[in-house]
Amino acid sequence: MTAINEVVDLSKEGDIAVVTVNSPPVNALSANVRDGLTEAFKQAIGDASAKAIVLICDGRTFIAGADISEFGKPPRGAPLGEVLSAIENAPKPVIAAIHGTALGGGLETALVAHYRVAVPSAKLGLPEVKIGLLPGAGGTQRLPRIVGVEKALEMITGGDPIGAKEAAATGLVDEVVEEGKLREQAIAFAKKVVGEGRPLKKVRDLPCSASPELFDKFFKANAKAFRGRMAPVNCAKAVQAATELPFDEGMKRERELFTELVTGDQSRALRYVFFAEREAAKIPDVPADTPVRDVKKVGVIGAGTMGGGISMNFLNAGIPVTMVEVQQEALDRGVGVIRKNYENSAKRGKLTAEQVEQRMGLLTPSLNLEDLADCDLVIEAVFELMDIKKELFGKLDKIVKQGAILASNTSYLNVDEMAACTSRPQDFIGLHFFSPANVMKLLEIVRGEKTGKDIIATCMGLAKKIGKVAVLVGVCHGFVGNRMLFQRTREANKLVDEGAMPWQVDKVLYDFGLPMGPFAMGDLAGLDIGWKAETSKSSTIRECLCEAGRRGQKTGAGYYDYDENRNASPSPVTEKIINDLRAKKGITPRAISDEEIFERTIYPMINEGAKILEEGKAIRASDIDIVWLNGYGWPAYRGGPMFYANLVGLKTVADKMNEFQAKYGDDFAVSPLLQRLADEGKTFADL
Ligand code: 3H9
């Protein structure tokens, strides 16, 4: 075996040359790997005794793509296009041997090989769209030639990989080989190709055509899904080019469309998100090797929307749950909702009837707190009233076995106060799920003053197991997400008091890329959350709406009017309620610009994020962004509020906040950290 460089080596098995990439963790196509491949293929091609070349990877995966950290930096090493041309033009068969994930540039490398073999567990895909790019090394030109235009469109604009079996059915993989025997069977396959004198199959030589209507239809059908996003549009345009242009011209078009993306803010934001998500899992004072506790059985208190949703997460992961309620009726209702959710998934083909029963079989409903005694983790999801929670944890402390984790799902209350009601504050933690808890990705893990490091490590690991994106936050009112949301809600309401209409405010935020604005969100959640008829004083628009029976979508009317399909339209009734209330309060409405709406709702959030950092309630600015992306629908292609602030410039944000403070008061007082960074010309990334 010859080491070509630190990450690529070349060996011979009889008359087959084997090029091996070994660049942990995922064999990304870094400059080193590209240089190594260039030299290895040069030698293997030059070796007259080598009749074919197998390209294989060591470690957990085949090449998982270009090295994302290299984008935006000065180019180094052999250009990928040249490496791939050399492979494709090799005068002897090249066989890519795939295990793990052949993604992005990795699959593009496999696509220039003349044959591909894969183990059954391998996954193949072009996920570039998820980081705001398109497959820029020929993927958009080659994949449609081999799997067909429609399948390629789906894979390239959606970014999800397919399994080896499906890949074999589409022709993307020539042979599925045995798990664990990739190297020997790839070599055997290479020998067969040589022995049978099979041709050098180049994907680029295959025909590619589609009717132009196919693309019109595709763009129309996906208009909503692609809203505001450049990458899927450019991906589809590049595939269209494959059907309209000769291969080399198609490649040029792919390059133009790629360059447009890679130099733009959307891809920059999405690449930032890729690393930010992985960074959030790292807690500086809780090393990766911190011992964790076994969580084999979970208790959930409360069978309402939250308790039920939380329970489903664990049932989905195969972890038994005991769900406790106070009354039989509420318990039955909660169990019924869980079953119905699963049955709906089954109807959509996402679960089998057997899986529904399996999951329901893991659920033990109970009216008795004592039944939680042997749980490893108990999460309360009862009313947001501190006294109720304190009393509950006092009781649980006496019931639940020692060594178990006690957790509250509170969305804003002080976790330390609850922990203090137990004899084991080191085992206490906040686990703030977002509604609907079985769907939303975010989990804010709230670290109390005394929470043990092993508890943090256990919960971070558990979050991953149940498919959540976890962010560690500190104790403060509303933690990270809701604390920032309060700022936006306050300003949105003030803007409507002053002269805007709810739909104007919502539209500004929707157009920015959020799934909905604050008023549409209020209608969805129900305007009567926390509202009581007996104490309602017609003093806010929300109170007036509730008093008028307009409680949101569920009553067919809230801020908006709703038709039978829950389509919203601006409401003349709401407009009158707003105008009457303004008149009662002596407010003369003024015209408010979209720009002011945007800055007044978003900048105070950024400012609050700065305060959160200042107080150490979030570890890093990017963690705050991960909260907003996964819990509140902030569009990923905008990177999160803190990333967005860096992009517009912290000075711009701070100056505007100062201007607002002079006009509208101390709600806009700038955080010292934001002001300092702005003055120093820095960004949150410099912290
Ligand atoms: C591309 O290919 C463009 C081309 O068309 C060419 C155009 C010219 N680069 O996710 P994990 C790191 S674009 C650099 O925790 P898993 C990651 O940051 C690329 N680093 O593991 C992490 O580092 P750390 C298209 C990368 O087992 C570590 O590896 N490809 C890359 O849960 C482990 O990652 C993609 O978009 C990379 N490409 O999942 C695939 N990939 O330990 C992106 C990973 O320091 N990658 N790292 O935090 C993935 O989807 C997952 O990482 C994968 C493994 C499924 C491979």
Side-chain angles (χ1 to χ4, degrees), residues 25-26 28 60-61 64-69 71 80 101 103-106 108 127-128 131 133-137 255 258 274-275 278-279 282 464:
V26 298
R60 65 205 227 209
T61 179
D67 184 338
I68 302 171
S69 65
F71 291 121
L80 183 58
T101 44
L103 298 178
E108 290 172 301
E128 284 87 341
I131 50 169
L133 296 175
L134 56 76
R255 175 91 337 228
F258 178 84
F274 177 84
F275 290 113
R278 284 153 182 83
E279 196 68 10
K282 295 169 192 155
K464 197 164 182 194

Side-chain angles (χ1 to χ4, degrees), residues 144-350:
R145 286 181 155 81
I146 196 157
V147 302
V149 175
E150 283 183 67
K151 185 72 193 164
L153 269 177
E154 177 196 315
M155 285 177 70
I156 296 174
T157 62
D160 292 329
I162 58 173
K165 251 197 192 155
E166 188 181 354
T170 61
L172 181 54
V173 160
D174 296 283
E175 195 168 291
V176 178
V177 301
E178 270 174 84
E179 206 72 57
K181 295 194 174 161
L182 181 61
R183 188 182 158 95
E184 56 187 276
Q185 296 199 355
I187 291 169
F189 182 87
K191 286 185 172 155
K192 196 164 64 181
V193 168
V194 174
E196 293 172 4
R198 290 203 207 170
L200 301 181
K201 277 198 324 193
K202 289 188 190 174
V203 176
R204 59 171 285 156
D205 295 338
L206 298 171
C208 187
S209 64
S211 71
E213 298 89 71
L214 184 130
F215 290 94
D216 288 346
K217 266 200 212 150
F218 182 80
F219 282 115
K220 270 195 200 117
N222 288 288
K224 201 164 170 211
F226 294 172
R227 176 172 77 98
R229 298 162 61 208
M230 279 172 74
V233 174
N234 279 23
C235 282
K237 282 184 186 167
V239 174
Q240 186 165 11
T243 67
E244 292 170 349
L245 301 172
F247 183 83
D248 288 323
E249 281 178 48
M251 288 293 285
K252 273 193 207 141
R253 182 77 185 120
E254 178 190 89
R255 175 91 337 228
E256 285 162 12
L257 291 162
F258 178 84
T259 306
E260 210 174 283
L261 295 176
V262 78
T263 52
D265 287 339
Q266 291 199 1
S267 172
R268 197 174 306 154
L270 287 159
R271 273 148 32 210
Y272 160 86
V273 170
F274 177 84
F275 290 113
E277 264 187 18
R278 284 153 182 83
E279 196 68 10
K282 295 169 192 155
I283 316 298
D285 69 332
V286 182
D289 59 357
T290 304
V292 293
R293 298 190 190 178
D294 237 4
V295 177
K296 292 210 182 99
K297 191 172 175 195
V298 172
V300 175
I301 304 166
T305 313
M306 225 41 222
I310 294 172
S311 299
M312 286 177 73
N313 285 296
F314 296 100
L315 300 175
N316 296 347
I319 301 173
V321 174
T322 302
M323 186 170 75
V324 179
E325 250 300 344
V326 185
Q327 275 167 355
Q328 188 67 47
E329 202 191 335
L331 186 63
D332 291 345
R333 200 180 322 123
V335 173
V337 171
I338 295 180
R339 173 169 282 284
K340 201 163 156 228
N341 283 342
Y342 282 139
E343 283 171 354
N344 285 341
S345 299
K347 269 187 213 148
R348 289 198 307 271
K350 295 197 167 165

Side-chain angles (χ1 to χ4, degrees), residues 373-387:
D374 65 342
C375 287
D376 303 299
L377 163 68
V378 176
I379 307 170
E380 73 68 26
V382 302
F383 292 118
E384 285 285 64
L385 284 174
M386 184 55 101
D387 288 344

